[in-house]
Amino acid sequence: MDNSTKALHSLKRASNYSKLAMRDFGPKSFKKGQGALLKVIYKFGEEGKINKKTAEKILGWCGKNLRHVAKKAQCNGYISIEDPEFAFAMSLTDKGTEVIKKRMDAEDRAADAILEQLSDEEIASLISITEKISDTCEGLGVDYSRIEKKQRRHHGARRGEKCCCKHHGKEGGQDKKHCCKHDHENNGSKYVFVFK
């Protein structure tokens, strides 16, 4: 094993340990549901506001799911929805902003604890080195959007339902003539946005 391979193994091991430490000692994950929506509005919204189309694109959710989560967040007082029938613009309320800021502060505290043995210069150097690795991979033609999140097979069906497309033949004794839009080629995996 040469030095380059050792370095990449070490980097991967440190990354895995960091993920586990953030999960154990950091704040609750905001990668799905209301938390993910709040995070996207906070990070990518213009003046604390984001429209439905932009949020769909960033989160990789369908419109129906986004609308459901948004209404839930509105009921909990985290967001307000303007023009719900048409433009569907969402903005954080004071309560929602407080929740997301607390979460981001907790994330920063956990990150500080993980990197407490490094000096400010070493942290800056680490950022520079990892960015160089990312740039090199991009130069080699690696597409970062291929980072995938496993979802249940045939993600369009609700829990407990079978896929009813023509590809799978009969269901319930009847032929389904319409083709579903499920991606059968990649076993139901779907590429989605991953928070950096």
Side-chain angles (χ1 to χ4, degrees):
M1 188 183 291
D2 66 11
N3 285 337
S4 297
T5 308
K6 281 182 182 177
L8 290 178
H9 276 294
S10 179
L11 183 65
K12 183 178 179 181
R13 188 167 181 262
S15 175
N16 288 338
Y17 265 120
S18 299
K19 286 177 188 174
L20 292 170
M22 288 297 287
R23 191 179 301 165
D24 291 345
F25 307 112
K28 182 181 176 183
S29 173
F30 269 31
K31 288 187 176 178
K32 59 184 179 180
Q34 298 174 68
L37 180 59
L38 294 182
K39 190 172 182 180
V40 164
I41 296 171
Y42 182 76
K43 291 185 85 172
F44 301 99
E46 294 179 12
E47 298 178 0
K49 186 186 293 185
I50 197 167
N51 63 45
K52 181 171 168 278
K53 291 285 183 189
T54 306
E56 280 176 25
K57 186 177 178 183
I58 295 170
L59 289 162
W61 296 353
C62 70
K64 184 179 176 183
N65 288 344
L66 178 62
R67 189 176 289 270
H68 174 73
V69 172
K71 286 184 177 178
K72 216 177 197 180
Q74 184 183 35
C75 287
N76 289 327
Y78 298 139
I79 68 168
S80 60
I81 299 174
E82 299 171 21
D83 201 7
E85 298 301 320
F86 300 101
F88 203 82
M90 297 164 286
S91 56
L92 290 172
T93 61
D94 290 341
K95 183 180 178 182
T97 304
E98 184 183 350
V99 166
I100 194 66
K101 282 185 175 177
K102 279 183 179 177
R103 195 264 172 203
M104 301 295 272
D105 289 344
E107 184 177 69
D108 289 342
R109 285 195 299 273
D112 289 342
I114 291 167
L115 299 180
E116 69 178 346
Q117 293 190 34
L118 300 182
S119 66
D120 291 342
E121 293 78 17
E122 287 173 323
I123 291 172
S125 179
L126 178 63
I127 292 168
S128 174
I129 289 167
T130 51
E131 284 180 352
K132 281 183 183 178
I133 293 170
S134 298
D135 291 342
T136 302
C137 291
E138 279 186 17
L140 292 171
V142 177
D143 181 9
Y144 187 79
S145 68
R146 286 169 45 216
I147 296 291
E148 63 181 341
K149 178 179 178 181
K150 296 292 182 184
Q151 296 188 340
R152 70 176 179 272
R153 191 174 180 88
H154 312 313
H155 47 272
R158 291 182 181 173
R159 192 180 298 273
E161 291 181 356
K162 292 181 180 177
C163 181
C164 59
C165 73
K166 192 172 163 185
H167 178 84
H168 292 296
K170 298 179 180 180
E171 180 188 338
Q174 296 178 355
D175 284 318
K176 300 291 181 179
K177 294 183 180 177
H178 69 282
C179 279
C180 79
K181 296 177 182 176
H182 303 153
D183 186 357
H184 297 291
E185 296 302 319
N186 66 6
N187 297 322
S189 296
K190 180 181 176 186
Y191 297 120
V192 299
F193 176 81
V194 176
F195 293 118
K196 290 185 180 180

